Each structure stands twice: as C-alpha cells, then as structure tokens.
Amino acid sequence: MSVVLHWFLPTSGDGRTVVERFHANRSLGASAARDPDIDYLAQVAQAAERNGFEGVLTPTGTWCEDAWLTTAALVARTTTLKFLVAFRPGVISPTLAAQMAATYQRLSRGRLLLNVVTGGDEVEQRRFGDWLDHDQRYARTDEFLHVVRAVWSGTPLDFEGAHYRVEGATLMGVPDPVPPIYFGGSSDAALPVAARRADVYLTWGEPPAQVAEKIHRVRELAGDRPIRFGVRLHTISRDTSAEAWREAEKLLEALDPVQVARAQEQLGASQSVGQQRMVALHGGDLSRGVRGLEVHPGLWAGIGLVRGGAGTALVGSHSEVADLIEEYHAVGVDEFVLSGYPHLEEAFWFGEGVRPILARRGLLRVPGAEVEVPAARGAVAVEGS
C-alpha cells in the first residue's frame, strides 16, 4: 500500500505563528498576518498541486470562510488538485448535500472529497442552530450518510428515521465518481458510524501506538467492509533536525501564556473526545519547553496549546519526518492531511524535502491514481493486546 498526501487551506487566515491562526476562537484578539482572500488561497492551492499533494482539506465553522464556496472558486485556479470539503451534516439536508456533491463532481470533473464533521463543540453547534447532544449528533450523522449514499445510487429513496424523513429523494444525475467520505470522531458514539459509513477514517495526530489502537477498534467494528485510515498533522521539516526544532521553538516563544490559558479553558470544555485526547498530550503546560512537548520521537504537541483540532506536528529533518510517516503507515495509516505555518512556505519545505524521500522509498501514490482499498489487511499490532 502506498500513502496519499493532502495539504490544508487556511481559510481563516495564515501567518508565521500559531497565535495568528487560532482555530476556534477569534475573541483571543490575534489576527491573521495574511488574510484568506482568493488570491492568497489560490497560491496555497497551487503550491499544494505543484508539490504533488492529492488534495487540500478546507475546514468548516464560523471562524473560517465557507468551504463549499471557497473551493468551488478555486477549481478554476487549479488543474488536478482535489478539494476535501468539510461540512456539518446537522445544518443541511442530506438530499441537498447529495445534490451539491453531484453538481460539484460534474463541474470540477471529479475533484471533490467530502469530510463529514459531526461536531464536538456545543457552543459552535448552537451558532448553527443545532441543539442536539453529542451522541444524538452522531446518530443523526449515521442517518444522514445513509440517505446521501442511497440518493447517490440513482434509485429514488423513501426513508423515515429519528432525524430525517424523505420521500422520493433523487438527483438529476448521480455523481461520477462518487465522492469518498472522510469521517472523524474518537468517541464510542462515533466509531460505529465510521465503521458503517466512512471510506476514510480520520484521526488527529496522537502517537503511533494510540493511533494503532484506534485503527484496530474501527477495523473490528467494520468487519469485512473495506476502509482506509488517515491522520491529520502539522509538519515542520528542514534540512537538519536542529533547524526544524528551532522553528518549533520560535512558534512556542510566540505564544502568550494568557492566550494559552484562555485557549485551554475553552478547549478543555469541548465535548469532543478527540479534542480531550489532544489536550491530554500536552496538559496545557507552556513551561515544559519545546522538547518537553515532544510526546513521541519527532511528534510535537506545542501547536495544541492554542489551536483546537489537530495539535501535533512532525518535527525534524526531512529524513526524520519521512521515518515518522513510515511509522504511522506501518500501523495502518494510508492518508496524511498535513499543514504548517505559514501554509504556503511549508508546502514547499515538505514537498521539496520529504516527498522525494518517500518517493524513493516507494511509498507514494501518484496523484489522481485509483485508491487501493484492501478488503482485509490483517490485525494491527496494539500495545497490550
């Protein structure tokens, strides 16, 4: 199996520090040094395409630009790049989502990937008028994806569930190809939904042993159903390890202890199990220093001090970062959704530094090639099992 590489579109702005791009809360007072206008986002997308990334993840939330509209505008500014569009199933009907995806596939000539974000932040969900609790949201997502996939089959659908009721749901034309579904969630409510509905299960960048355990659980739930696995990480890759760690130290030095404390207060209140697992890696402790936040060789948790969601980075020389990617791949990770600060420059650092090493090791899939999805891949070795 080869690995697939994706990049990230900073649709809330970009900059040279993590503070400038706080993931979930604009009220901290930090502003982006680079506004997310269409010309800058096009530069990032074109850099990702030029450096051989398969696609770019575009986030969703009130803290960033709308992912559907932004990526639709960028289709004309790129040639082969795919767009991993994040969206919340609770704020749109499944039939409309299926229609939007089908239209997107026809207009972009098959360049859509879908990232379903059920949502773990109750405050953020209520901004969209969603008042269901955590487990109910995942139950609704299960129904949502059932309807979407059924509508994509081309056969009119009648369905009545706890959250959705549709009659004769259909489309002008089915999407070709059908967009793969990327899905994240670490809770007991999330994992069975992932096993039933996802093509790619995404997790944030915990140490490889923890990721292996999660993959093992999802594989057991999925049974014979084929599913791939991906991890969301940042990257700081340089010609030498010392240079890379110095860049990480610069990011840490730019963090204000007051902002870290306020960010951790908010993130600690999240209902997301995945977010709580991210917080547990660093404990909100800025005083540990740059290497004190290294939670696995080459895996740095400093970004999670102020950023919600993905809070870890691969840090090291190009060869060391490639080694860590191989380590994740060995436990079952096939897709890597990467990013860095700033996103434009870091796309080149990784693309020109790490990607050729992965290619020489025979690990890279050619962008646009058919994705390999094995029916069964064997058990994942898990510590303690």
Side-chain angles (χ1 to χ4, degrees):
M1 288 288 292
S2 53
V3 302
V4 180
L5 301 174
H6 304 283
W7 199 241
F8 184 83
L9 276 179
T11 54
S12 66
D14 204 0
R16 294 184 178 276
T17 71
V18 185
V19 175
E20 290 172 324
R21 268 222 40 342
F22 184 63
H23 183 69
N25 189 350
R26 286 284 199 171
S27 68
L28 293 183
S31 61
R34 302 177 189 178
D35 291 330
D37 59 56
I38 192 64
D39 291 329
Y40 181 69
L41 293 176
Q43 287 185 60
V44 176
Q46 290 161 3
E49 186 172 77
R50 179 180 180 129
N51 283 285
F53 291 97
E54 176 90 6
V56 285
L57 172 63
T58 309
T60 184
T62 54
W63 48 271
C64 59
E65 298 290 6
D66 176 75
W68 289 101
L69 295 174
T70 301
T71 58
L74 290 171
V75 165
R77 307 285 287 267
T78 52
T79 304
T80 60
L81 189 70
K82 296 181 180 179
F83 294 96
L84 181 48
V85 175
F87 74 101
R88 298 172 190 265
V91 298
I92 186 174
S93 85
T95 308
L96 177 58
Q99 181 187 42
M100 291 168 65
T103 298
Y104 198 115
Q105 283 297 68
R106 284 189 288 274
L107 296 182
S108 70
R109 295 181 173 88
R111 291 162 62 189
L112 176 66
L113 313 170
L114 285 176
N115 180 30
V116 176
V117 180
T118 299
D121 184 342
E122 191 174 74
V123 174
E124 175 77 0
Q125 293 300 124
R126 290 177 179 179
R127 291 174 187 156
F128 287 96
D130 182 8
W131 292 79
L132 294 186
D133 67 27
H134 177 276
D135 288 2
Q136 288 177 319
R137 290 197 294 269
Y138 279 102
R140 179 181 58 196
T141 296
D142 194 28
E143 287 188 11
F144 181 97
L145 291 177
H146 168 75
V147 173
V148 166
R149 288 194 181 278
V151 170
W152 281 344
S153 73
T155 302
L157 173 71
D158 294 339
F159 174 81
E160 182 172 356
H163 301 280
Y164 295 105
R165 179 181 180 183
V166 297
E167 185 174 316
T170 189
L171 299 174
M172 180 182 77
V174 299
D176 183 21
V178 171
I181 298 293
Y182 290 67
F183 180 96
S186 298
S187 68
D188 290 339
L191 296 183
V193 181
R196 279 192 296 271
R197 309 296 182 193
D199 296 301
V200 181
Y201 173 76
L202 284 177
T203 184
W204 288 324
E206 299 173 22
Q210 294 179 34
V211 171
E213 182 181 359
K214 197 179 293 185
I215 287 174
H216 180 69
R217 290 183 64 193
V218 176
R219 278 220 180 102
E220 282 192 324
L221 290 167
D224 293 334
R225 181 179 178 274
I227 187 169
R228 287 168 58 85
F229 296 90
V231 65
R232 173 78 181 92
L233 290 155
H234 305 279
T235 179
I236 305 173
S237 175
R238 293 295 185 270
D239 294 335
T240 68
S241 182
E243 290 177 274
W245 281 105
R246 177 55 189 151
E247 290 302 317
E249 191 169 29
K250 288 178 183 177
L251 292 179
L252 193 66
E253 289 171 348
L255 301 184
D256 184 327
V258 174
Q259 290 175 318
V260 170
R262 291 173 64 186
Q264 289 304 302
E265 181 180 3
Q266 177 188 337
L267 297 174
S270 172
Q271 294 178 325
S272 166
V273 173
Q275 183 62 72
Q276 295 311 313
R277 291 169 71 111
M278 282 282 100
V279 169
L281 290 177
H282 53 69
D285 188 358
L286 182 61
S287 68
R288 288 164 60 176
V290 64
R291 296 307 288 256
L293 291 164
E294 187 179 15
V295 296
H296 177 83
L299 185 66
W300 186 60
I303 290 173
L305 290 171
V306 292
R307 188 195 194 278
T312 52
L314 308 175
V315 181
S317 68
H318 304 311
S319 292
E320 289 170 339
V321 169
D323 290 343
L324 193 45
I325 286 174
E326 268 202 270
E327 189 176 350
Y328 277 107
H329 185 49
V331 302
V333 176
D334 302 312
E335 305 208 14
F336 293 80
V337 183
L338 305 171
S339 57
Y341 300 98
H343 291 73
L344 180 60
E345 288 91 327
E346 289 297 331
F348 281 96
W349 276 112
F350 186 94
E352 296 174 349
V354 180
R355 194 176 182 280
I357 297 172
L358 296 173
R360 287 196 296 271
R361 297 179 185 181
L363 286 173
L364 284 188
R365 181 169 72 87
V366 177
E370 185 177 352
V371 175
E372 309 160 63
V373 184
R377 195 164 161 195
V380 176
V382 182
E383 290 187 345
S385 66

